[in-house]
Amino acid sequence: SGEFLTITRGGRLSKGPTWKKFFEAPAEGRSFYLFCIFRAQFNVEAWFLRGGGFGERLEKKWGDIWSCLAEWQDGQPIDWEAWATKVIEKFGLYWEAPDQTFAKKNMIWGLKYCLVEPMNYFGILESEYRQGEYSQELHSVRLNPTGIDYFKRLDFGSKVLRSAASWFSVN
């Protein structure tokens, strides 16, 4: 999404149009820039190919869902299931399937897969798991100090997600 790398016709990786700009940016800011690209340009539908259009609906509501993440910025624990359920209801998300028995559970898992997993990858989130009916289940999440810093630097009031490249000029 950040166009740092491109794939050639031969299937090899090569430097993309923003490669040089990224490496000219201060090293201490690069991880934040990558996080901004995730926020602004993450293709949920491509990431989440199954679910009967659930990924497509997430993609359409991505900016609005991020506005709900503003409540995480104080670093307090967030009850994952309650937060995810609130988001599902607020934005009218649904999972198309003939049998709706596990639809809510699948949607909560889908939000975790598209939000929590990448934030864990960025190292900005602490997650607490508890034993569920069959396996360990996510109980709560909280931003660590790096995550709190990242969230404080984001503009949650904006309905328009900025191009991540615009963050590169910020000192």
Side-chain angles (χ1 to χ4, degrees):
S1 293
E3 298 183 336
F4 306 123
L5 297 171
T6 58
I7 300 174
T8 65
R9 291 180 190 218
R12 295 184 159 217
L13 288 177
S14 66
K15 294 177 182 177
T18 61
W19 177 271
K20 184 177 179 186
K21 189 175 185 179
F22 179 75
F23 285 101
E24 287 173 349
E28 63 275 0
R30 291 181 195 148
S31 60
F32 178 67
Y33 303 147
L34 290 174
F35 177 71
C36 290
I37 290 167
F38 161 70
R39 179 189 181 226
Q41 298 177 353
F42 185 65
N43 184 333
V44 179
E45 187 177 6
W47 180 260
F48 199 100
L49 295 174
R50 296 174 300 240
F54 183 66
E56 180 182 354
R57 285 184 284 285
L58 281 178
E59 185 78 27
K60 287 178 183 172
K61 301 291 185 176
W62 192 242
D64 294 325
I65 291 169
W66 266 94
S67 68
C68 291
L69 282 150
E71 66 191 63
W72 294 22
Q73 63 188 330
D74 63 2
Q76 295 301 309
I78 302 294
D79 179 305
W80 172 250
E81 189 167 340
W83 185 87
T85 299
K86 180 175 73 173
V87 166
I88 290 164
E89 292 170 1
K90 181 175 182 175
F91 298 112
L93 300 175
Y94 59 95
W95 187 284
E96 291 175 21
D99 181 2
Q100 290 291 305
T101 305
F102 300 106
K104 180 182 175 191
K105 203 168 209 142
N106 288 339
M107 288 185 289
I108 291 171
W109 173 84
L111 284 169
K112 174 184 172 267
Y113 185 65
C114 292
L115 288 168
V116 174
E117 296 301 329
M119 283 195 254
N120 279 330
Y121 174 78
F122 283 110
I124 65 170
L125 198 63
E126 296 174 7
S127 303
E128 179 187 342
Y129 287 84
R130 293 195 180 155
Q131 185 61 41
E133 188 175 351
Y134 302 107
S135 63
Q136 293 279 14
E137 294 180 3
L138 182 61
H139 175 68
S140 67
V141 294
R142 68 186 294 156
L143 292 175
N144 64 22
T146 301
I148 292 169
D149 176 56
Y150 283 13
F151 272 51
K152 283 182 181 175
R153 295 162 64 183
L154 294 175
D155 181 8
F156 282 101
S158 174
K159 289 287 184 191
V160 178
L161 297 177
R162 298 179 193 172
S163 166
S166 69
W167 289 93
F168 288 32
S169 61
V170 177
N171 291 327

